[in-house]
Amino acid sequence: MENGGEDKHSSVTTSYRYWVREASQDAAPLPVPRKLSADEVAPPDSQPPTLGSVWNKAGTWEEKNLNKWAVDRIKELLGSIGSVEFPAGKAQIAEVTKCSGDAFLVTVRNKKRVGCTYEITLKIKGEWTIREEIKTVKGHVDIPEFSYGELDDLQVEVRLSEEKDLPQQDKIMIKQDLKQFLNPVREKLSQFEEELKDR
């Protein structure tokens, strides 16, 4: 190749493709097609059932958003709590004013896992007998964080809407009373978790 000379092998094709085509004696024999017997063919019913979508036969990662169903169901369950009685009065949930967050179903390696995280606000209306006078009180019970599997850590915060004509000690009593919504709320959210698990 020096001095502009040509390589004597340049005309010979040396690519792998041509080498394989021309190999004859040491090459592996070509595969011969054969018909499978009935025992070798697995019927479609014998495949183990897979979770998730039809396309996801291998059961790899698949996530499904359950938020629409979850928000509607949480509102329905918490709205059905009804009236809670206290020593000096009673109250009920008028409305679920806030339910924001996410609920999801994840299929990983053909195993189903669910989860959710929500912030919930309940509008409360009740009546208390204060100094032999019945007072209507409105307020909110906030659940700052409801996460799947953590109901034991559930906490509520109480805000009163109309506090102007109530003495401080009565406000404290009413707030303590409204914190008793924690147990019925926890029961309903436990029911929600069971239903979410079965989705």
Side-chain angles (χ1 to χ4, degrees):
M1 278 198 48
E2 289 180 335
N3 302 328
E6 290 187 12
D7 184 359
K8 63 180 179 181
H9 299 294
S10 63
S11 61
V12 178
T13 306
T14 57
S15 77
Y16 176 76
R17 180 175 158 203
Y18 288 104
W19 177 78
V20 170
R21 262 193 194 167
E22 293 174 8
S24 56
Q25 61 195 87
D26 293 335
L30 293 173
V32 179
R34 68 177 181 88
K35 190 171 184 175
L36 296 175
S37 68
D39 294 337
E40 293 173 309
V41 177
D45 311 1
S46 69
Q47 297 293 329
T50 58
L51 296 172
S53 300
V54 175
W55 60 266
N56 194 4
K57 296 261 187 230
T60 56
W61 180 274
E62 179 182 349
E63 187 170 342
K64 184 177 178 184
N65 186 336
L66 300 174
N67 207 34
K68 169 83 174 89
W69 170 83
V71 168
D72 292 344
R73 190 62 182 139
I74 288 171
K75 287 183 175 182
E76 182 183 347
L77 287 169
L78 296 180
S80 70
I81 285 177
S83 183
V84 177
E85 301 278 337
F86 313 112
K90 63 179 181 177
Q92 64 184 24
I93 297 172
E95 181 187 358
V96 180
T97 56
K98 179 182 177 185
C99 184
S100 62
D102 294 303
F104 51 87
L105 164 69
V106 176
T107 305
V108 185
R109 295 185 183 145
N110 214 20
K111 289 185 181 168
K112 185 169 75 168
R113 297 185 177 127
V114 292
C116 68
T117 304
Y118 281 97
E119 290 179 35
I120 303 168
T121 299
L122 310 172
K123 186 177 182 180
I124 305 289
K125 184 177 180 182
E127 293 180 342
W128 276 262
T129 305
I130 297 169
R131 292 173 184 72
E132 298 178 12
E133 184 182 340
I134 295 176
K135 298 243 181 201
T136 301
V137 179
K138 294 178 183 175
H140 293 87
V141 173
D142 296 317
I143 301 162
E145 184 180 4
F146 158 52
S147 296
Y148 182 83
E150 298 179 11
L151 281 175
D152 292 339
D153 300 331
L154 198 69
Q155 295 179 352
V156 295
E157 298 168 1
V158 177
R159 297 177 286 131
L160 297 181
S161 302
E162 299 168 8
E163 306 179 17
K164 49 190 177 290
D165 57 343
L166 290 173
Q168 186 63 27
Q169 70 182 49
D170 293 331
K171 290 178 195 174
I172 292 169
M173 176 196 70
I174 291 170
K175 284 183 175 182
Q176 283 302 117
D177 285 349
L178 289 176
K179 285 187 177 182
Q180 292 180 38
F181 270 97
L182 178 60
N183 286 334
V185 164
R186 189 180 276 142
E187 286 172 18
K188 293 295 182 182
L189 292 178
S190 175
Q191 181 182 338
F192 168 77
E193 284 189 349
E194 288 301 314
E195 292 177 17
L196 181 64
K197 215 179 346 181
D198 295 336
R199 294 291 296 170

